């Protein structure tokens, strides 16, 4: 009986020490992949809806004191100019919840960065399923060219600027930098391939069908 009590106390003590450490790690986090999607395919509610999703997940993880933006571009439309993902995410450096630096600045992020399956963790510190895992969730919405800039107005590469869950297409990156050899751009975290599918290209089912789940890269702006 005494040994059981002692064991329970030891577990409680470990948990008490671990909780503040985990909270401290989360507070220092400045990059993550969303653990869940909004659930409406490419319709994120525009950039504002995507940013809010990042903010809510960061808040739940203990990093809500920072301002979070999704790594997404928009295309020029309806008299409004394009917006570049690289211009929305602050100056860096950025690190994941484990304290691993993924890039020191914007130039580094779009060159020799440290994004891969082991470092592109979600806000809880968990790895995102990649190519070969079931289910594969490595397709991350970006709507961007490999230098982080927006595409020309046509063709659609942003699911109608993140407002469509039916017709359209969006550019996706691979968070694990992997994929079938038939895809020459499989190693890009930004521009591996576009969405497609029977619902028109932008539904949640369409995104899942190619190995994704409408997940986002989130960066702390400040």
């Amino acid at each position: 009986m005494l040994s059981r009590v002692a064991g329970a106390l030891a577990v409680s003590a470990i948990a008490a020490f671990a909780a503040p450490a985990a909270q401290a790690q989360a507070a220092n986090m400045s990059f993550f992949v969303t653990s869940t999607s909004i659930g409406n395919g490419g319709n994120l509610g525009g950039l504002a809806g995507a940013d809010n999703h990042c903010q809510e997940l960061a808040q739940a993880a203990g990093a809500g004191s920072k301002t979070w933006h999704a790594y997404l571009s928009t295309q020029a439309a309806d008299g409004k100019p394009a917006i570049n993902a690289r211009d929305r995410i602050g100056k860096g450096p950025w690190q994941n919840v484990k304290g691993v630096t993924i890039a020191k600045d914007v130039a580094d992020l779009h060159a020799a960065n440290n994004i891969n399956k082991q470092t592109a963790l979600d806000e809880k510190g968990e790895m995102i399923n990649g190519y070969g895992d079931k289910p594969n969730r490595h397709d991350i919405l970006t709507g961007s060219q490999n230098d982080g800039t927006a595409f020309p107005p046509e063709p659609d590469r942003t699911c109608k600027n993140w407002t469509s869950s039916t017709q359209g297409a969006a550019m996706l990156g691979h968070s694990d930098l992997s994929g079938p050899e038939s895809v020459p751009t499989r190693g890009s975290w930004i521009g591996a391939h576009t969405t497609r599918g029977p619902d028109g290209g932008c539904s949640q089912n369409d995104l899942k069908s190619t190995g994704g789940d409408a997940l986002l890269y989130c960066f702390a702006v400040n």
Side-chain angles (χ1 to χ4, degrees):
M1 183 67 178
L2 288 175
S3 63
R4 291 179 182 176
V5 172
L9 289 173
V11 170
S12 298
I14 291 171
F17 281 110
Q23 291 173 355
Q25 278 188 319
N28 292 326
M29 174 178 67
S30 48
F31 163 83
F32 65 89
V33 178
T34 57
S35 59
T36 61
S37 68
I38 292 175
N40 198 22
N43 184 357
L44 309 175
L47 291 179
D51 292 345
N52 185 64
H53 186 54
C54 288
Q55 194 73 44
E56 287 182 344
L57 292 179
Q59 179 73 39
S65 62
K66 299 174 182 177
T67 299
W68 291 85
H69 282 178
Y71 185 93
L72 296 171
S73 294
T74 60
Q75 295 168 274
D78 302 323
K80 297 179 181 179
I83 296 174
N84 302 320
R86 65 181 293 145
D87 298 334
R88 310 185 66 248
I89 57 173
K91 298 180 179 179
W94 300 280
Q95 64 181 41
N96 67 18
V97 71
K98 301 292 187 182
V100 177
T101 298
I102 60 110
K104 61 184 180 181
D105 53 34
V106 174
D108 187 38
L109 180 65
H110 296 91
N113 62 60
N114 190 31
I115 293 177
N116 54 58
K117 185 176 182 180
Q118 288 70 41
T119 62
L121 305 177
D122 69 20
E123 74 280 1
K124 303 172 186 177
E126 297 177 357
M127 195 176 296
I128 302 297
N129 278 11
Y131 181 65
D133 297 329
K134 294 186 178 182
N136 181 10
R137 303 174 81 220
H138 73 170
D139 285 351
I140 313 299
L141 292 169
T142 68
S144 304
Q145 302 185 83
N146 279 318
D147 62 354
T149 60
F151 282 94
E154 296 293 340
D156 184 20
R157 289 293 179 264
T158 59
C159 286
K160 302 185 187 305
N161 285 337
W162 314 114
T163 63
S164 175
S165 59
T166 53
Q167 299 297 314
M171 182 57 71
L172 304 162
H174 285 168
S175 60
D176 62 346
L177 311 184
S178 184
E181 292 186 3
S182 59
V183 180
T185 52
R186 62 189 179 277
S188 174
W189 71 275
I190 299 176
H193 59 85
T194 57
T195 61
R196 58 188 181 275
D199 295 336
C202 289
S203 74
Q204 191 74 16
N205 286 334
D206 285 342
L207 272 60
K208 286 184 177 181
S209 72
T210 61
D213 200 14
L215 303 183
L216 306 171
Y217 297 116
C218 299
F219 289 80
V221 176
N222 57 342

